[in-house]
Protein backbone atom coordinates (compact mmCIF):
# COMPACT_ATOMS: atom_id res chain seq x y z
CA UNK A 1 0.00 0.00 0.00
CA UNK A 2 2.72 2.43 1.01
CA UNK A 3 4.81 1.60 -2.06
CA UNK A 4 1.82 1.92 -4.37
CA UNK A 5 0.95 5.32 -2.89
CA UNK A 6 4.49 6.57 -3.40
CA UNK A 7 4.46 5.35 -6.97
CA UNK A 8 1.11 6.98 -7.67
CA UNK A 9 2.33 10.22 -6.08
CA UNK A 10 5.47 10.15 -8.20
CA UNK A 11 3.42 9.53 -11.33
CA UNK A 12 1.15 12.51 -10.56
CA UNK A 13 4.20 14.71 -9.97
CA UNK A 14 5.73 13.65 -13.29
CA UNK A 15 2.42 14.23 -15.08
CA UNK A 16 2.11 17.73 -13.64
CA UNK A 17 5.73 18.49 -14.48
CA UNK A 18 5.17 17.23 -18.02
CA UNK A 19 2.07 19.38 -18.47
CA UNK A 20 3.90 22.42 -17.09
CA UNK A 21 6.80 21.79 -19.46
CA UNK A 22 4.45 21.47 -22.43
CA UNK A 23 2.78 24.78 -21.58
CA UNK A 24 6.20 26.41 -21.17
CA UNK A 25 7.27 25.16 -24.59
CA UNK A 26 4.03 26.34 -26.20
CA UNK A 27 4.38 29.84 -24.73
CA UNK A 28 8.01 30.17 -25.78
CA UNK A 29 7.46 28.84 -29.30
CA UNK A 30 4.68 31.41 -29.68
CA UNK A 31 7.43 34.00 -30.19
CA UNK A 32 8.62 32.27 -33.35
CA UNK A 33 5.04 31.76 -34.53
CA UNK A 34 4.33 35.47 -34.00
CA UNK A 35 7.23 36.37 -36.29
CA UNK A 36 5.94 33.92 -38.90
CA UNK A 37 2.45 35.47 -38.73
CA UNK A 38 3.90 38.96 -39.23
CA UNK A 39 6.04 37.86 -42.18
CA UNK A 40 2.97 36.19 -43.71
CA UNK A 41 0.76 39.24 -43.11
CA UNK A 42 3.23 41.52 -44.87
CA UNK A 43 3.70 39.16 -47.81
CA UNK A 44 -0.01 38.40 -48.32
CA UNK A 45 -1.14 42.01 -47.91
CA UNK A 46 1.61 43.34 -50.18
CA UNK A 47 0.60 40.93 -52.94
CA UNK A 48 -3.10 41.67 -52.44
CA UNK A 49 -2.78 45.45 -52.79
CA UNK A 50 -3.00 46.42 -56.49
CA UNK A 51 -0.09 48.64 -57.46
CA UNK A 52 1.62 48.39 -54.07
CA UNK A 53 5.43 48.40 -54.25
CA UNK A 54 6.97 46.69 -51.26
CA UNK A 55 10.43 48.08 -51.98
CA UNK A 56 9.25 51.69 -52.01
CA UNK A 57 6.16 51.85 -49.79
CA UNK A 58 5.79 51.71 -46.02
CA UNK A 59 4.31 48.72 -44.22
CA UNK A 60 1.77 51.03 -42.58
CA UNK A 61 0.31 51.83 -46.00
CA UNK A 62 -1.12 48.31 -45.98
CA UNK A 63 -3.34 49.24 -43.03
CA UNK A 64 -3.88 52.92 -43.86
CA UNK A 65 -7.35 54.45 -43.78
CA UNK A 66 -9.03 53.49 -47.05
CA UNK A 67 -6.28 51.06 -48.11
CA UNK A 68 -7.43 48.03 -50.08
CA UNK A 69 -5.77 45.72 -47.55
CA UNK A 70 -6.66 47.41 -44.25
CA UNK A 71 -9.29 44.78 -43.39
CA UNK A 72 -6.97 41.93 -44.39
CA UNK A 73 -4.16 43.34 -42.24
CA UNK A 74 -6.62 43.66 -39.39
CA UNK A 75 -7.29 39.92 -39.49
CA UNK A 76 -3.63 39.02 -39.03
CA UNK A 77 -2.69 41.46 -36.28
CA UNK A 78 -4.87 40.07 -33.44
CA UNK A 79 -3.27 36.65 -34.00
CA UNK A 80 0.17 38.23 -33.98
CA UNK A 81 -0.64 40.14 -30.78
CA UNK A 82 -1.95 37.06 -28.96
CA UNK A 83 1.14 35.05 -29.89
CA UNK A 84 3.52 37.84 -28.84
CA UNK A 85 1.66 38.24 -25.55
CA UNK A 86 1.88 34.50 -24.91
CA UNK A 87 5.61 34.57 -25.63
CA UNK A 88 6.17 37.51 -23.29
CA UNK A 89 4.31 35.68 -20.50
CA UNK A 90 6.37 32.58 -21.20
CA UNK A 91 9.60 34.55 -20.82
CA UNK A 92 8.48 36.22 -17.59
CA UNK A 93 7.40 32.97 -15.95
CA UNK A 94 10.55 30.97 -16.75
CA UNK A 95 11.63 29.42 -13.42
CA UNK A 96 15.35 30.01 -14.00
CA UNK A 97 15.06 33.42 -15.65
CA UNK A 98 17.85 35.89 -14.93
CA UNK A 99 17.06 39.53 -14.23
CA UNK A 100 17.87 40.67 -17.81
CA UNK A 101 15.71 37.88 -19.22
CA UNK A 102 12.75 38.67 -16.97
CA UNK A 103 13.12 42.38 -17.71
CA UNK A 104 13.09 41.65 -21.45
CA UNK A 105 9.93 39.60 -20.95
CA UNK A 106 8.19 42.45 -19.15
CA UNK A 107 9.26 44.88 -21.87
CA UNK A 108 7.90 42.52 -24.53
CA UNK A 109 4.59 42.34 -22.68
CA UNK A 110 4.38 46.14 -22.39
CA UNK A 111 5.21 46.52 -26.08
CA UNK A 112 2.58 43.94 -27.06
CA UNK A 113 -0.14 45.55 -24.96
CA UNK A 114 0.71 48.97 -26.35
CA UNK A 115 -0.04 47.58 -29.79
CA UNK A 116 -3.70 48.40 -29.16
CA UNK A 117 -2.76 52.07 -29.62
CA UNK A 118 -1.91 51.43 -33.28
CA UNK A 119 -5.61 50.90 -34.00
CA UNK A 120 -6.35 54.35 -32.57
CA UNK A 121 -3.87 56.18 -34.78
CA UNK A 122 -3.96 54.67 -38.29
CA UNK A 123 -2.16 56.67 -40.93
CA UNK A 124 -3.98 58.06 -43.95
CA UNK A 125 -2.98 57.19 -47.46
CA UNK A 126 -0.06 59.07 -48.93
CA UNK A 127 -0.92 62.51 -50.16
CA UNK A 128 -3.90 62.94 -47.82
CA UNK A 129 -4.04 65.85 -45.39
CA UNK A 130 -2.24 64.89 -42.18
CA UNK A 131 -4.33 64.72 -39.02
CA UNK A 132 -3.62 64.07 -35.35
CA UNK A 133 -3.90 60.37 -36.18
CA UNK A 134 -0.98 60.56 -38.60
CA UNK A 135 1.08 62.45 -36.03
CA UNK A 136 0.19 59.84 -33.43
CA UNK A 137 1.14 57.12 -35.89
CA UNK A 138 4.59 58.65 -36.35
CA UNK A 139 5.05 58.88 -32.57
CA UNK A 140 4.04 55.24 -32.21
CA UNK A 141 6.57 54.36 -34.89
CA UNK A 142 9.36 56.16 -33.05
CA UNK A 143 8.32 54.49 -29.80
CA UNK A 144 8.33 51.07 -31.46
CA UNK A 145 11.82 51.44 -32.94
CA UNK A 146 13.24 52.58 -29.60
CA UNK A 147 11.37 49.91 -27.62
CA UNK A 148 12.35 47.05 -29.91
CA UNK A 149 15.98 48.16 -29.85
CA UNK A 150 15.86 48.33 -26.05
CA UNK A 151 14.39 44.83 -25.82
CA UNK A 152 17.20 43.47 -27.97
CA UNK A 153 19.76 45.31 -25.84
CA UNK A 154 18.41 43.99 -22.54
CA UNK A 155 17.87 40.42 -23.75
CA UNK A 156 21.38 40.33 -25.24
CA UNK A 157 22.80 39.70 -21.76
CA UNK A 158 20.55 36.74 -20.98
CA UNK A 159 21.69 33.81 -23.12
CA UNK A 160 25.44 33.71 -23.41
CA UNK A 161 28.14 35.13 -25.65
CA UNK A 162 26.93 33.87 -29.05
CA UNK A 163 23.43 35.22 -28.51
CA UNK A 164 24.92 38.48 -27.24
CA UNK A 165 26.93 38.90 -30.45
CA UNK A 166 23.89 38.04 -32.54
CA UNK A 167 21.85 40.62 -30.61
CA UNK A 168 24.49 43.31 -31.13
CA UNK A 169 24.33 42.72 -34.89
CA UNK A 170 20.52 42.74 -34.79
CA UNK A 171 20.49 45.97 -32.81
CA UNK A 172 22.88 47.61 -35.26
CA UNK A 173 20.43 46.70 -38.02
CA UNK A 174 17.08 47.44 -36.36
CA UNK A 175 17.80 50.86 -34.81
CA UNK A 176 19.59 52.68 -37.69
CA UNK A 177 17.23 51.45 -40.41
CA UNK A 178 14.22 52.17 -38.24
CA UNK A 179 15.45 55.73 -37.65
CA UNK A 180 16.28 56.11 -41.35
CA UNK A 181 12.71 55.30 -42.37
CA UNK A 182 11.39 58.44 -40.64
CA UNK A 183 13.41 60.61 -43.03
CA UNK A 184 10.73 59.79 -45.63
CA UNK A 185 7.80 61.05 -43.51
CA UNK A 186 7.41 64.41 -45.27
CA UNK A 187 7.65 62.88 -48.75
CA UNK A 188 5.10 60.24 -47.78
CA UNK A 189 2.67 62.87 -46.45
CA UNK A 190 3.13 64.94 -49.60
CA UNK A 191 2.34 61.97 -51.82
CA UNK A 192 5.80 62.04 -53.38
CA UNK A 193 7.82 58.97 -54.39
CA UNK A 194 9.73 57.28 -51.55
CA UNK A 195 12.32 55.05 -53.25
CA UNK A 196 13.61 52.23 -51.04
CA UNK A 197 11.47 53.23 -48.03
CA UNK A 198 9.76 49.85 -48.01
CA UNK A 199 13.04 47.97 -48.09
CA UNK A 200 14.63 50.12 -45.36
CA UNK A 201 11.63 49.80 -43.06
CA UNK A 202 11.32 46.08 -43.64
CA UNK A 203 14.98 45.51 -42.82
CA UNK A 204 14.26 47.11 -39.44
CA UNK A 205 10.91 45.46 -38.67
CA UNK A 206 11.67 42.05 -40.09
CA UNK A 207 15.12 42.24 -38.53
CA UNK A 208 13.49 42.40 -35.12
CA UNK A 209 11.05 39.63 -36.03
CA UNK A 210 13.94 37.38 -37.08
CA UNK A 211 15.75 38.19 -33.84
CA UNK A 212 12.59 37.46 -31.86
CA UNK A 213 12.20 34.08 -33.55
CA UNK A 214 15.79 33.13 -32.71
CA UNK A 215 15.28 34.38 -29.15
CA UNK A 216 12.15 32.26 -28.79
CA UNK A 217 13.64 29.10 -30.30
CA UNK A 218 16.78 29.43 -28.18
CA UNK A 219 14.75 29.81 -24.99
CA UNK A 220 12.52 26.88 -25.94
CA UNK A 221 15.54 24.65 -26.60
CA UNK A 222 17.20 25.59 -23.28
CA UNK A 223 13.98 25.10 -21.35
CA UNK A 224 13.46 21.69 -22.97
CA UNK A 225 16.89 20.46 -21.90
CA UNK A 226 16.86 22.25 -18.56
CA UNK A 227 19.80 24.52 -19.42
CA UNK A 228 20.39 27.57 -17.28
CA UNK A 229 19.30 30.86 -18.82
CA UNK A 230 22.38 32.64 -17.60
Amino acid sequence: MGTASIQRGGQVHRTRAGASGAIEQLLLLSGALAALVYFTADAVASLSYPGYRALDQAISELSAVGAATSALWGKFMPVYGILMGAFAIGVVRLPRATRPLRTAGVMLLVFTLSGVLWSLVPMHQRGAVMTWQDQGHILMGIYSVLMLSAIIGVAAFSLGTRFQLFSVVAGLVVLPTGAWSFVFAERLAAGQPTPWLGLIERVSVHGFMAWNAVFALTLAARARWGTSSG
Side-chain angles (χ1 to χ4, degrees):
M1 289 292 291
T3 301
S5 297
I6 292 173
Q7 289 176 342
R8 284 197 296 271
Q11 181 63 40
V12 170
H13 177 74
R14 286 193 294 272
T15 300
R16 289 176 177 172
S20 178
I23 293 174
E24 183 179 80
Q25 285 290 301
L26 182 60
L27 290 174
L28 294 176
L29 290 175
S30 292
L33 292 175
L36 180 60
V37 168
Y38 195 93
F39 291 145
T40 303
D42 187 18
V44 172
S46 295
L47 293 173
S48 302
Y49 196 150
Y52 181 84
R53 301 178 302 280
L55 289 179
D56 302 325
Q57 292 184 250
I59 298 174
S60 292
E61 292 186 71
L62 297 172
S63 59
V65 176
T69 51
S70 58
L72 176 61
W73 187 265
K75 293 179 180 179
F76 278 100
M77 287 304 101
V79 179
Y80 162 77
I82 291 171
L83 289 171
M84 280 295 286
F87 175 53
I89 292 172
V91 176
V92 171
R93 70 189 294 271
L94 278 172
R96 295 176 300 278
T98 59
R99 180 175 295 180
L101 185 56
R102 187 156 286 130
T103 300
V106 171
M107 293 172 70
L108 272 169
L109 186 58
V110 170
F111 173 74
T112 302
L113 293 176
S114 67
V116 176
L117 297 176
W118 282 106
S119 62
L120 303 178
V121 288
M123 70 172 285
H124 289 80
Q125 291 179 296
R126 63 170 60 212
V129 176
M130 287 190 69
T131 68
W132 66 270
Q133 289 179 311
D134 297 281
Q135 295 171 344
H137 193 89
I138 293 173
L139 290 176
M140 281 297 297
I142 294 172
Y143 157 78
S144 295
V145 171
L146 294 176
M147 189 66 164
L148 296 181
S149 300
I151 291 171
I152 293 174
V154 172
F157 298 95
S158 63
L159 293 173
T161 303
R162 283 186 296 179
F163 184 76
Q164 186 173 349
L165 292 174
F166 170 68
S167 296
V168 168
V169 173
L172 291 175
V173 170
V174 171
L175 182 57
T177 53
W180 189 4
S181 67
F182 292 105
V183 173
F184 295 86
E186 289 187 8
R187 296 180 62 85
L188 184 61
Q192 298 176 350
T194 51
W196 304 113
L197 167 60
L199 177 61
I200 293 167
E201 186 182 31
R202 282 174 171 82
V203 168
S204 179
V205 177
H206 291 328
F208 173 80
M209 293 300 165
W211 174 88
N212 195 67
V214 172
F215 184 36
L217 293 173
T218 302
L219 285 175
R222 292 196 172 209
R224 180 179 178 83
W225 300 108
T227 307
S228 171
S229 299

